[in-house]
């Protein structure tokens, strides 16, 4: 079974202005020569410009939990490699146990640091900051619920039915 490969995400938040100007100049030059080109050639040239631009951009880092340390990420990578190589089941279990222990330790340390920050904020009369930290620690995902009852009391869940 083939694994689905995630598309590459580029970090567009820190693009330098000179680089933007350079890319826009390339497209302006391409735009000036569009009369002589066939649509296929034009598409290929635009694709080349995009590929060249993507080589100079940095890729976004994979999202990770705030409390994970580099050691935990490294151990996770080792565990992944052990699983993909098909090493002994006991070896994989040992690596998985190590990862769980490191993650637990890192999360506990992160929560303790946040608790210290909360205590410091309360002692300095910065209750807003303290409550924001508490909210970030305790807030859970709340899925949006779009359920409406019609005049007969039937529950409508599809957006088409709700709009009618």
């Amino acid at each position: 079974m083939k694994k689905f490969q995630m598309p590459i995400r580029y970090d567009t938040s820190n693009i330098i202005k000179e680089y933007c100007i350079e890319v826009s100049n390339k497209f302006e030059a391409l735009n000036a020569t569009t009369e002589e080109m066939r649509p296929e050639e034009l598409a290929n040239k635009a694709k080349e410009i995009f590929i060249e631009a993507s080589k100079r951009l940095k890729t976004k880092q994979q999202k990770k939990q705030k409390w994970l340390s580099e050691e935990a990420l490294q151990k996770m990578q080792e565990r992944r490699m052990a699983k993909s190589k098909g090493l002994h089941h006991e070896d994989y279990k040992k690596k998985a146990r190590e990862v769980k222990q490191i993650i637990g330790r890192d999360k506990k340390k992160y929560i303790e640091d946040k608790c210290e920050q909360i205590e410091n904020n309360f002692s300095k009369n910065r209750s807003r900051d303290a409550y924001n930290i508490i909210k970030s620690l305790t807030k859970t995902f709340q899925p949006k619920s779009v359920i409406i009852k019609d005049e007969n009391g039937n529950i409508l869940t599809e957006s088409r039915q709700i709009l009618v």
Side-chain angles (χ1 to χ4, degrees):
M1 199 167 140
K2 283 188 175 180
K3 273 190 165 183
F4 175 72
Q5 186 175 7
M6 293 296 291
I8 298 172
R9 305 272 185 214
Y10 295 102
D11 188 11
T12 57
S13 61
N14 298 325
I15 297 178
I16 337 170
K17 288 188 178 188
E18 297 88 27
Y19 178 71
C20 292
I21 293 170
E22 180 183 335
V23 172
S24 64
N25 287 341
K26 287 182 182 180
F27 272 110
E28 287 175 8
L30 181 65
N31 195 19
T33 61
T34 55
E35 293 85 25
E36 305 142 11
M37 292 185 170
R38 293 192 321 252
E40 297 85 24
E41 292 175 354
L42 185 64
N44 288 336
K45 290 283 186 181
K47 184 177 179 180
E48 288 174 13
I49 291 173
F50 282 122
I51 290 172
E52 183 181 330
S54 68
K55 287 179 183 175
R56 295 184 60 191
L57 289 176
K58 293 180 181 177
T59 56
K60 279 188 177 179
Q61 293 295 321
Q62 195 174 20
K63 288 185 179 178
K64 64 172 189 150
Q65 297 295 336
K66 296 175 185 175
W67 62 82
L68 285 178
S69 65
E70 289 299 319
E71 180 189 6
L73 294 173
Q74 184 179 7
K75 290 287 185 181
M76 285 179 189
Q77 187 64 30
E78 289 176 13
R79 180 188 62 181
R80 243 179 255 124
M81 294 302 290
K83 186 174 184 180
S84 67
K85 288 180 183 175
L87 293 178
H88 301 293
H89 190 66
E90 293 81 26
D91 187 38
Y92 172 75
K93 275 187 165 182
K94 180 183 172 191
K95 290 187 184 298
R97 204 175 310 117
E98 287 175 4
V99 168
K100 279 185 180 182
Q101 288 173 351
I102 293 171
I103 288 174
R105 184 186 66 215
D106 289 348
K107 187 171 183 179
K108 185 177 180 180
K109 183 177 181 250
Y110 173 77
I111 290 174
E112 286 174 357
D113 291 342
K114 287 294 182 179
C115 288
E116 285 179 21
Q117 287 178 5
I118 291 168
E119 289 173 3
N120 289 338
N121 284 333
F122 275 127
S123 67
K124 294 176 182 176
N125 292 327
R126 286 191 260 162
S127 58
R128 176 176 286 178
D129 295 338
Y131 283 116
N132 283 338
I133 294 172
I134 292 169
K135 190 189 330 180
S136 72
L137 287 174
T138 58
K139 188 176 180 183
T140 58
F141 175 71
Q142 293 287 327
K144 186 177 178 183
S145 175
V146 186
I147 298 176
I148 289 183
K149 290 185 179 180
D150 63 359
E151 57 269 354
N152 299 331
N154 298 327
I155 296 175
L156 305 176
T157 56
E158 294 185 26
S159 58
R160 269 186 276 126
Q161 295 173 337
I162 293 171
L163 290 174
V164 175

